[in-house]
mmCIF file of all heavy atoms in Angstrom:
data_model
loop_
_atom_site.group_PDB
_atom_site.id
_atom_site.type_symbol
_atom_site.label_atom_id
_atom_site.label_comp_id
_atom_site.label_asym_id
_atom_site.label_seq_id
_atom_site.Cartn_x
_atom_site.Cartn_y
_atom_site.Cartn_z
ATOM 1 N N TYR W 128 136.070 15.287 -53.512
ATOM 2 C CA TYR W 128 135.015 15.445 -52.508
ATOM 3 C C TYR W 128 134.380 16.813 -52.709
ATOM 4 O O TYR W 128 135.086 17.827 -52.766
ATOM 5 C CB TYR W 128 135.627 15.301 -51.108
ATOM 6 C CG TYR W 128 134.844 15.912 -49.966
ATOM 7 C CD1 TYR W 128 133.484 15.649 -49.792
ATOM 8 C CD2 TYR W 128 135.462 16.760 -49.045
ATOM 9 C CE1 TYR W 128 132.776 16.212 -48.739
ATOM 10 C CE2 TYR W 128 134.772 17.315 -47.985
ATOM 11 C CZ TYR W 128 133.434 17.041 -47.839
ATOM 12 O OH TYR W 128 132.735 17.598 -46.799
ATOM 13 N N ASP W 130 131.202 19.338 -51.321
ATOM 14 C CA ASP W 130 130.217 19.502 -50.254
ATOM 15 C C ASP W 130 129.149 20.496 -50.697
ATOM 16 O O ASP W 130 129.478 21.580 -51.191
ATOM 17 C CB ASP W 130 130.907 19.999 -48.974
ATOM 18 C CG ASP W 130 130.033 19.786 -47.745
ATOM 19 O OD1 ASP W 130 129.189 18.867 -47.762
ATOM 20 O OD2 ASP W 130 130.189 20.546 -46.771
ATOM 21 N N PHE W 131 127.891 20.101 -50.526
ATOM 22 C CA PHE W 131 126.771 20.956 -50.928
ATOM 23 C C PHE W 131 126.181 21.676 -49.711
ATOM 24 O O PHE W 131 126.764 21.657 -48.605
ATOM 25 C CB PHE W 131 125.724 20.110 -51.670
ATOM 26 C CG PHE W 131 126.169 19.733 -53.059
ATOM 27 C CD1 PHE W 131 126.935 18.583 -53.278
ATOM 28 C CD2 PHE W 131 125.863 20.537 -54.140
ATOM 29 C CE1 PHE W 131 127.356 18.251 -54.554
ATOM 30 C CE2 PHE W 131 126.278 20.207 -55.424
ATOM 31 C CZ PHE W 131 127.025 19.065 -55.619
ATOM 32 N N HIS W 137 119.074 25.134 -42.828
ATOM 33 C CA HIS W 137 120.464 25.472 -42.510
ATOM 34 C C HIS W 137 120.883 26.739 -43.263
ATOM 35 O O HIS W 137 121.420 27.673 -42.678
ATOM 36 C CB HIS W 137 121.386 24.298 -42.866
ATOM 37 C CG HIS W 137 122.847 24.604 -42.715
ATOM 38 N ND1 HIS W 137 123.439 24.817 -41.482
ATOM 39 C CD2 HIS W 137 123.832 24.754 -43.640
ATOM 40 C CE1 HIS W 137 124.740 25.076 -41.665
ATOM 41 N NE2 HIS W 137 124.995 25.048 -42.960
ATOM 42 N N TYR W 163 130.719 23.535 -52.908
ATOM 43 C CA TYR W 163 132.123 23.938 -53.108
ATOM 44 C C TYR W 163 132.953 22.666 -53.206
ATOM 45 O O TYR W 163 132.552 21.609 -52.707
ATOM 46 C CB TYR W 163 132.628 24.837 -51.973
ATOM 47 C CG TYR W 163 132.707 24.146 -50.627
ATOM 48 C CD1 TYR W 163 133.899 23.561 -50.184
ATOM 49 C CD2 TYR W 163 131.587 24.066 -49.801
ATOM 50 C CE1 TYR W 163 133.958 22.907 -48.963
ATOM 51 C CE2 TYR W 163 131.651 23.405 -48.581
ATOM 52 C CZ TYR W 163 132.836 22.832 -48.169
ATOM 53 O OH TYR W 163 132.893 22.178 -46.964
ATOM 54 N N GLU W 202 129.347 19.411 -38.362
ATOM 55 C CA GLU W 202 128.182 19.533 -39.242
ATOM 56 C C GLU W 202 127.644 18.137 -39.493
ATOM 57 O O GLU W 202 128.353 17.274 -40.015
ATOM 58 C CB GLU W 202 128.551 20.212 -40.574
ATOM 59 C CG GLU W 202 128.843 21.706 -40.416
ATOM 60 C CD GLU W 202 129.011 22.445 -41.741
ATOM 61 O OE1 GLU W 202 129.290 21.801 -42.762
ATOM 62 O OE2 GLU W 202 128.855 23.691 -41.723
ATOM 63 N N GLU W 204 125.955 15.664 -41.554
ATOM 64 C CA GLU W 204 125.686 15.534 -42.981
ATOM 65 C C GLU W 204 125.647 14.060 -43.354
ATOM 66 O O GLU W 204 126.018 13.193 -42.563
ATOM 67 C CB GLU W 204 126.809 16.198 -43.815
ATOM 68 C CG GLU W 204 127.008 17.668 -43.527
ATOM 69 C CD GLU W 204 127.859 18.384 -44.564
ATOM 70 O OE1 GLU W 204 127.980 17.877 -45.701
ATOM 71 O OE2 GLU W 204 128.385 19.463 -44.240
ATOM 72 N N ASP W 236 131.270 17.120 -41.246
ATOM 73 C CA ASP W 236 132.122 18.118 -41.899
ATOM 74 C C ASP W 236 132.595 19.104 -40.831
ATOM 75 O O ASP W 236 132.006 20.160 -40.635
ATOM 76 C CB ASP W 236 131.299 18.814 -43.001
ATOM 77 C CG ASP W 236 132.077 19.893 -43.715
ATOM 78 O OD1 ASP W 236 133.319 19.825 -43.742
ATOM 79 O OD2 ASP W 236 131.435 20.820 -44.251
ATOM 80 N N SER W 238 134.194 22.012 -38.918
ATOM 81 C CA SER W 238 134.268 23.368 -39.469
ATOM 82 C C SER W 238 134.851 24.343 -38.459
ATOM 83 O O SER W 238 134.461 24.339 -37.295
ATOM 84 C CB SER W 238 132.862 23.854 -39.841
ATOM 85 O OG SER W 238 132.288 23.001 -40.812
ATOM 86 N N LYS W 256 137.600 24.312 -43.780
ATOM 87 C CA LYS W 256 136.981 23.019 -44.072
ATOM 88 C C LYS W 256 137.986 21.978 -44.538
ATOM 89 O O LYS W 256 137.577 20.909 -44.964
ATOM 90 C CB LYS W 256 135.937 23.205 -45.191
ATOM 91 C CG LYS W 256 134.842 24.210 -44.879
ATOM 92 C CD LYS W 256 133.735 23.577 -44.095
ATOM 93 C CE LYS W 256 132.534 24.506 -44.021
ATOM 94 N NZ LYS W 256 131.430 23.859 -43.293
ATOM 95 N N GLY W 361 125.638 18.707 -47.237
ATOM 96 C CA GLY W 361 125.462 19.964 -46.506
ATOM 97 C C GLY W 361 124.774 19.660 -45.191
ATOM 98 O O GLY W 361 124.140 18.596 -45.024
ATOM 99 N N THR W 362 124.923 20.576 -44.249
ATOM 100 C CA THR W 362 124.382 20.381 -42.910
ATOM 101 C C THR W 362 122.887 20.115 -42.965
ATOM 102 O O THR W 362 122.135 20.868 -43.591
ATOM 103 C CB THR W 362 124.654 21.627 -42.050
ATOM 104 O OG1 THR W 362 126.045 21.888 -42.108
ATOM 105 C CG2 THR W 362 124.228 21.411 -40.616
HETATM 106 MN MN1 MN K 1 129.411 21.182 -44.810
#
Side-chain angles (χ1 to χ4, degrees):
Y128 159 50
D130 197 26
F131 286 87
H137 174 68
Y163 66 94
E202 289 188 339
E204 301 194 21
D236 178 25
S238 300
K256 302 276 191 178
T362 306

